[in-house]
């Protein structure tokens, strides 16, 4: 069965979200579009929270968020326990976000990426495994329930 991947953006990420959806579908994922559904102005947190809640509850392994800078979406998503939302603006950052930080949400700064950059960033994030080992301990310490 295809892995379901939720994706959401505000108005600033809307156009790129539509392109990323096509890329994910072509790669065989079951894409769940949580909005926004038009370029009309919206508030990023209204879209970040429902997606992050799915990741927090373990209903999906990972998800993708987009806004202008990536920052607002990441702030909101990272309020959720067990969500590690990484803003990535190069494939190398995306790869390290997986390898070292086990990022389960990719956040794309839509206003600062070309289509080809964002496609390469998405691919790097999708394809890179978590390295575990010493990074497992470090990632574990992020959670407040572990004594942070
Ligand atoms: C919207 O104009 C913009 O502020 C938003 O997309 C995002 O960049 C916020 O972090």
């Amino acid at each position: 069965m295809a892995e379901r991947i939720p994706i959401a953006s505000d108005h600033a990420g809307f156009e790129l979200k539509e392109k990323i959806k096509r890329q994910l579908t072509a790669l065989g994922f079951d894409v769940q579009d949580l909005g926004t559904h038009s370029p009309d102005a919206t508030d990023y947190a209204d879209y970040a929270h429902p997606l992050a809640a799915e990741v927090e509850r373990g209903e999906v392994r990972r998800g993708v968020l987009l806004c202008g800078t990536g920052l607002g979406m990441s702030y909101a998503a990272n309020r959720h326990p067990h969500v590690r939302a990484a803003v990535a603006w190069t494939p190398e950052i995306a790869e390290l976000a997986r390898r070292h930080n086990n990022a389960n949400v990719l956040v794309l700064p839509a206003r600062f990426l070309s289509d080809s950059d964002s496609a390469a960033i998405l691919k790097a994030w999708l394809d890179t495994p978590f390295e575990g080992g010493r990074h497992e301990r470090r990632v574990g310490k992020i959670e407040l329930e572990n004594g942070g």
Side-chain angles (χ1 to χ4, degrees):
M1 205 173 73
E3 178 187 343
R4 180 162 63 85
I5 291 204
I7 185 168
S9 75
D10 68 354
H11 54 290
F14 171 69
E15 208 180 302
L16 185 56
K17 171 169 69 67
E18 299 307 298
K19 293 172 184 162
I20 293 288
K21 273 166 56 181
R22 287 196 286 276
Q23 186 183 353
L24 285 168
T25 302
L27 289 168
F29 291 98
D30 172 15
V31 182
Q32 178 193 19
D33 186 350
L34 297 178
T36 185
H37 299 291
S38 85
D40 297 343
T42 53
D43 301 337
Y44 49 80
D46 294 344
Y47 299 91
H49 287 305
L51 186 146
E54 283 202 53
V55 176
E56 177 185 350
R57 292 191 296 258
E59 294 166 6
V60 291
R61 272 178 64 204
R62 49 193 177 168
V64 179
L65 290 169
L66 306 92
C67 66
T69 59
L71 297 176
M73 283 293 194
S74 66
Y75 297 166
N78 281 317
R79 293 288 173 123
H80 293 250
H82 311 296
V83 169
R84 293 172 300 277
V87 183
W89 57 96
T90 68
E92 292 78 12
I93 300 273
E95 191 187 321
L96 285 170
R98 287 290 313 132
R99 217 176 271 299
H100 289 188
N101 310 114
N102 201 10
N104 50 14
V105 174
L106 172 67
V107 190
L108 293 170
R111 284 188 172 142
F112 299 88
L113 296 176
S114 67
D115 290 353
S116 61
D117 284 345
S118 58
I121 292 165
L122 177 70
K123 198 73 177 57
W125 177 75
L126 288 170
D127 290 351
T128 307
F130 178 47
E131 215 171 87
R134 67 189 189 282
H135 299 295
E136 186 81 60
R137 181 185 70 245
R138 292 169 185 166
V139 166
K141 286 184 178 181
I142 295 171
E143 297 301 324
L144 295 175
E145 70 192 24
N146 295 337

